[in-house]
Amino acid sequence: MDLAYLWFFIVGFFFIGYFVLDGFDFGVGMSLPFLGRDNTDRRQLINTIGPVWDLNETWLIVAGAAMFAAFPEWYATLFSGFYLPLLLILIALILRGVSFEYRHQGRSPEWAAAFDRMIVIGSAVPAFLWGVAFANIIQGTPIDADFEFTGTLLTLLNPYGILGGLTTLLLFFTHGVQFVALKTDGELRERARALAVRSGLVTIAVAASFLVWTVLQHLDIAHLPVLLAAAGGAAAALIGSWLANRAGRDGWAFGLTALTTALAVVAILAALFPNVMPSTTDPAFSLTIENASSSDYTLQVMSWVALVMVPLVLLYQGWTYWVFRKRVTRQTIELAEAVH
């Protein structure tokens, strides 16, 4: 396989890792006002992702770095054209990270409440805007002959883009609530299960609309069976997750929303291939895997580095999740509060 095509799939793999792992982080953050009835509840929720949220975000850094090195034209067009939404995502991620670190530094309820609001906003904004961004990448954007984006922020906020944003917002919310059910105990766990059932129904309806719209836009592509298989698999996994949640199988429910997210990204890659950013101005101005990639020598060096480093990253991430695999109980939080 040509290295440029290989790196297209590697970049896609990094984004799968990011959306699966940081997706439930976003969901846990957004669930604070729905599941957190008191400060102990909210601390229990935050502690479920406390040891892993920053590790999960490294997948975004790796994905961005891989895109920069392997596809500099794609990186340049995307980050200059989508500058404002990506800047908003960055600000939201910074607010969220600061809130995790400083929430426990003050003792007043107002102090904690202010950082809780920042966590909710810092989780909801990226969850929505990532969907808007990727929906527009699939649909195509106005790009001129110099591969420059010629639209505005309002260009991106079209009906399909907004539907894509709502899809990721709801999918990550449900994914996160299921993670809460998997990692907590007692009444909070039961509330998380009940909330996941309600949000899961809405997510299924919205995600199905987005997948059907996506397929209808790409009926003429040569590899339509791949797109249909990925979209159908994502839909089946999402419905299976809802059924598993109703049956009280938290692990299966969480695993299947993770699979839904992964297959949704595969569907995006299938819809894009062999383009990386289609142009709505003129198809001849589209960025493709071949005209956006680096030299073959650069990709060879990157491949050797990835061959060594990616397994190490996966091992470290797996070890981290194994170390912090135990449930975060309410009793643990209450004991910690009593000590301080």
Side-chain angles (χ1 to χ4, degrees):
M1 177 185 288
D2 190 296
L3 284 179
Y5 289 89
L6 174 64
W7 272 96
F8 174 73
F9 294 113
I10 292 176
V11 170
F13 171 74
F14 289 148
F15 273 110
I16 287 174
Y18 173 63
F19 288 134
V20 167
L21 296 174
D22 222 18
F24 72 73
D25 283 356
F26 294 148
V28 173
M30 288 187 283
S31 73
L32 287 182
F34 299 95
L35 294 174
R37 292 183 177 175
D38 56 26
N39 186 55
T40 304
D41 274 353
R42 288 187 285 276
R43 284 194 61 184
Q44 195 176 354
L45 287 166
I46 293 170
N47 282 12
T48 61
I49 57 173
V52 296
W53 69 268
D54 48 354
L55 181 63
N56 294 340
E57 288 188 355
T58 57
W59 284 82
L60 175 61
I61 298 170
V62 173
M67 181 187 288
F68 172 75
F71 300 99
E73 285 286 1
W74 186 10
Y75 181 93
T77 303
L78 178 65
F79 278 75
S80 60
F82 291 24
Y83 177 78
L84 187 53
L86 293 178
L87 178 63
L88 291 174
I89 289 173
L90 178 62
I91 293 172
L93 293 178
I94 291 173
L95 287 178
R96 196 172 69 118
V98 168
S99 301
F100 287 142
E101 298 297 332
Y102 282 87
R103 183 187 187 277
H104 64 283
Q105 301 292 341
R107 294 192 176 275
S108 70
E110 293 77 13
W111 175 278
F115 284 110
D116 286 347
R117 283 193 292 274
M118 287 169 60
I119 291 173
V120 175
I121 295 170
S123 301
V125 169
F128 176 73
L129 288 179
W130 277 124
V132 172
F134 272 82
N136 278 283
I137 291 173
I138 304 169
Q139 180 175 244
T141 52
I143 298 173
D144 63 18
D146 296 322
F147 300 139
E148 297 286 346
F149 176 77
T150 57
T152 65
L153 178 62
L154 294 179
T155 307
L156 304 179
L157 296 176
N158 53 75
Y160 181 72
I162 292 173
L163 182 61
L166 291 175
T167 300
T168 51
L169 181 80
L170 289 165
L171 179 60
F172 293 160
F173 179 81
T174 302
H175 193 35
V177 172
Q178 288 172 341
F179 184 73
V180 172
L182 187 65
K183 288 287 291 181
T184 59
D185 66 342
E187 188 186 348
L188 179 59
R189 183 186 186 188
E190 296 305 318
R191 292 204 305 270
R193 281 177 173 168
L195 181 58
V197 170
R198 295 196 298 274
S199 67
L201 282 176
V202 182
T203 305
I204 289 171
V206 174
S209 304
F210 179 71
L211 288 174
V212 169
W213 196 340
T214 301
V215 170
L216 290 177
Q217 284 183 335
H218 297 85
L219 289 175
D220 57 342
I221 61 175
H223 46 283
L224 180 62
V226 178
L227 173 59
L228 290 175
L238 186 56
I239 294 171
S241 168
W242 185 80
L243 293 173
N245 187 58
R246 277 184 63 90
R249 305 297 296 270
D250 300 326
W252 278 98
F254 176 74
L256 285 169
T257 49
L259 181 61
T260 302
T261 305
L263 288 174
V265 178
V266 172
I268 289 172
L269 297 179
L272 274 177
F273 189 88
N275 295 313
V276 292
M277 282 194 76
S279 171
T280 56
T281 306
D282 187 330
F285 301 158
S286 295
L287 279 164
T288 67
I289 293 174
E290 293 192 355
N291 69 18
S293 66
S294 295
S295 67
D296 195 56
Y297 178 74
T298 300
L299 296 177
Q300 284 184 34
V301 173
M302 290 178 61
S303 300
W304 283 110
V305 172
L307 189 64
V308 175
M309 298 306 297
V310 171
L312 292 177
V313 171
L314 292 176
L315 284 172
Y316 178 72
Q317 186 125 35
W319 178 63
T320 302
Y321 274 89
W322 174 256
V323 169
F324 295 102
R325 65 188 182 280
K326 291 184 179 178
R327 292 183 185 274
V328 179
T329 66
R330 185 177 178 88
Q331 185 183 20
T332 306
I333 303 297
E334 289 173 339
L335 285 173
E337 288 176 341
V339 170
H340 293 89

